Amino acid sequence: MEKNMIGKYLRDLRRRRGMSQQELALALGVSKQTISNWEVGRKVPRMKAVDKIANIFGVSRNSILAGLPVEMLEQEYRRVVDLTDRDIRLTYLGQQVPREYIDIIVKLMRCDIVERDAQ
């Protein structure tokens, strides 16, 4: 994730709503400088502020914390695949991952699971 995704997302939400930093600051009970600091990534909002922001803009808390619209978060979840699914072609940096590498990862995972179960 990019370092300042929360700030950029917050700025985007504010601008789409046609709000100034001052207006958002008043709605949240903070200073305009605080809003500016959040948007440029110098600081991040505390959870109480995140809840208020989510309420003002009608988005989820997770969306704000991830710095992504909820639709994009859902897309990320759809990208999850199981390594044992033989119909999926996995890639890394644009190159297909050889089946032998996937088999090695699966074996390592099995060892890890067995170790955790033994504890």
Side-chain angles (χ1 to χ4, degrees):
M1 177 196 320
E2 187 180 321
K3 183 180 178 185
N4 186 31
M5 288 187 70
I6 293 174
K8 287 181 178 184
Y9 183 52
L10 178 57
R11 182 179 58 228
D12 183 52
L13 288 170
R14 179 180 59 75
R15 286 180 174 171
R16 279 192 276 156
R17 181 66 62 89
M19 291 179 87
S20 68
Q21 287 183 340
Q22 183 64 44
E23 290 170 324
L24 181 57
L26 286 171
L28 294 172
V30 299
S31 71
K32 178 183 176 286
Q33 185 63 44
T34 297
I35 302 297
S36 177
N37 285 335
W38 292 343
E39 288 185 1
V40 298
R42 276 188 286 257
K43 296 187 178 190
V44 293
R46 293 189 173 155
M47 287 308 296
K48 210 172 195 180
V50 169
D51 288 335
K52 288 181 181 180
I53 293 165
N55 198 22
I56 289 169
F57 294 114
V59 297
S60 73
R61 177 196 306 181
N62 289 341
S63 181
I64 293 169
L65 294 174
L68 295 168
V70 72
E71 305 82 43
M72 291 181 76
L73 287 174
E74 290 170 356
Q75 286 176 351
E76 289 298 315
Y77 291 128
R78 279 188 229 130
R79 294 176 57 181
V80 174
V81 297
D82 195 290
L83 285 175
T84 60
D85 189 340
R86 299 277 179 180
D87 294 332
I88 300 295
R89 293 176 54 175
L90 299 175
T91 62
Y92 178 73
L93 298 175
Q95 300 293 316
Q96 185 169 345
V97 177
R99 187 73 235 171
E100 308 86 66
Y101 291 11
I102 295 170
D103 291 340
I104 291 169
I105 294 168
V106 169
K107 286 178 186 175
L108 289 170
M109 294 301 298
R110 282 188 192 134
C111 289
D112 185 52
I113 290 169
V114 168
E115 268 183 31
R116 276 188 279 151
D117 287 346
Q119 293 175 352

